[in-house]
């Protein structure tokens, strides 16, 4: 009996307005062209309950949210998403492309809000076990560029109302993650024109697939 090869988890990360949503579509198209079946997902969210938690997290009409509450809600959403959608897909051999995952908790709640890394690590282990993304694409631009790109959109959510200094800490948080996990995390210079950003993504994706056991070009 042949065994199903587990799918890969690819995550996209970065600060506000770096182009994750735009480039997520590009990654999905890249996979489609190679006839790789995938599930497109996002966090916080991804199931009915997890999307309700997302609404709570982004709501601007709430009382001040304690950083630990924010972190626990992020991981509550993630636990639901993993159980209901991500794990079954990976087990069935489907790749999962996720707009943000637990690196965002280290960057936003850790570096941004000041929650100790060890606390996040413990929660991560409780919720994910040893599951980590196979590839993380960290889109990076100067904070001011990302914020001005994002400005063109609708009313800001609770995160988008944060000060510039918060996003600088978050960006630093992502750079730290990339240094800590150089095999998995690939930095993409997202300050460049979209076509150049997507060339960088293609290169990283090509190399990732070529490094898979039994990869077919
Ligand atoms: N969060 C958290 O704190 N902890 C966690 O664990 C998780 C999340 C999982 C919601 O995330 C919030 O949750 C998020 C962090 C927190 N808050 N913030 N900030 P989200 O991912 O849904 O929200 P977001 O970060 O605000 O992402 P976004 O709004 O979807 O932005 P984006 O996807 O990075 O950007 P975009 O929409 O693709 O692009 C923005 C504009 O720039 C658009 O007009 C594009 O056409 C343009 N663009 C993109 N790339 C380029 C280039 N290269 N050149 C020129 N113009 C470009």
């Amino acid at each position: 009996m042949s065994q199903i090869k587990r799918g890969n988890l690819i995550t996209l990360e970065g600060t506000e307005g770096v182009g994750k949503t735009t480039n997520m579509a590009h990654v999905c198209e890249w996979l489609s062209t190679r006839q790789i079946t995938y599930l497109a997902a996002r966090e916080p969210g991804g199931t009915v309950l997890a999307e309700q938690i997302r609404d709570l997290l982004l709501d601007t009409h709430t009382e001040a949210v304690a950083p630990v509450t924010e972190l626990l809600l992020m991981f509550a959403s993630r636990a639901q998403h993993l159980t209901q959608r991500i794990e079954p897909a990976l087990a069935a051999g489907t790749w999962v492309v996720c707009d943000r995952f637990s690196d965002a908790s280290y960057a936003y709640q850790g570096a941004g809000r000041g929650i100790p890394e060890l606390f996040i690590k413990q929660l991560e282990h409780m919720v994910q076990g040893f599951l980590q993304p196979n590839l993380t694409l960290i889109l990076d631009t100067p904070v001011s560029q990302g914020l001005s790109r994002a400005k063109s959109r609708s009313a800001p959510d609770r995160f988008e109302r944060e000060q510039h200094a918060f996003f600088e800490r978050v960006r630093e948080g992502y750079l730290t993650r990339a240094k800590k996990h150089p095999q998995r995390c690939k930095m993409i210079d997202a300050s460049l024109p979209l076509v150049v950003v997507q060339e960088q993504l293609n290169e990283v994706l090509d190399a990732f697939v070529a490094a898979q056991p039994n990869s077919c070009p």
Side-chain angles (χ1 to χ4, degrees), residues 1 3 14-15 66-67 87 89 104 116 123 180 186 191 200:
M1 209 169 64
Q3 255 197 337
T15 52
E87 270 299 350
L123 261 181
K180 219 168 186 168
K186 302 297 173 200
S191 68
Q200 295 174 67

Side-chain angles (χ1 to χ4, degrees), residues 16 19-22 54 78 100 105 108-109 153 192:
E16 179 69 7
K20 286 175 291 80
T21 309
T22 310
R54 178 189 177 90
R78 186 162 301 131
R100 296 195 187 280
S105 303
Y108 280 79
Q109 284 67 51
R153 288 178 317 205
L192 301 170

Side-chain angles (χ1 to χ4, degrees), residues 7-56:
N8 286 298
L9 172 60
I10 300 180
T11 58
L12 285 97
E13 298 278 4
T15 52
E16 179 69 7
V18 288
K20 286 175 291 80
T21 309
T22 310
N23 287 301
M24 168 113 177
H26 177 78
V27 172
C28 291
E29 199 184 307
W30 189 96
L31 292 172
S32 291
T33 310
R34 282 150 190 85
Q35 271 103 44
I36 296 173
T37 51
Y38 67 88
L39 171 75
R42 71 167 179 184
E43 291 208 348
T47 77
V48 174
L49 178 57
E51 288 290 328
Q52 287 170 340
I53 298 172
R54 178 189 177 90
D55 290 345
L56 290 176

Side-chain angles (χ1 to χ4, degrees), residues 136-157:
T136 297
L137 304 161
I138 301 183
L139 304 175
D140 183 60
T141 61
V143 169
S144 48
Q145 187 183 33
L147 290 176
S148 84
R149 281 182 191 167
K151 243 185 215 137
S152 53
R153 288 178 317 205
S154 55
D157 64 37

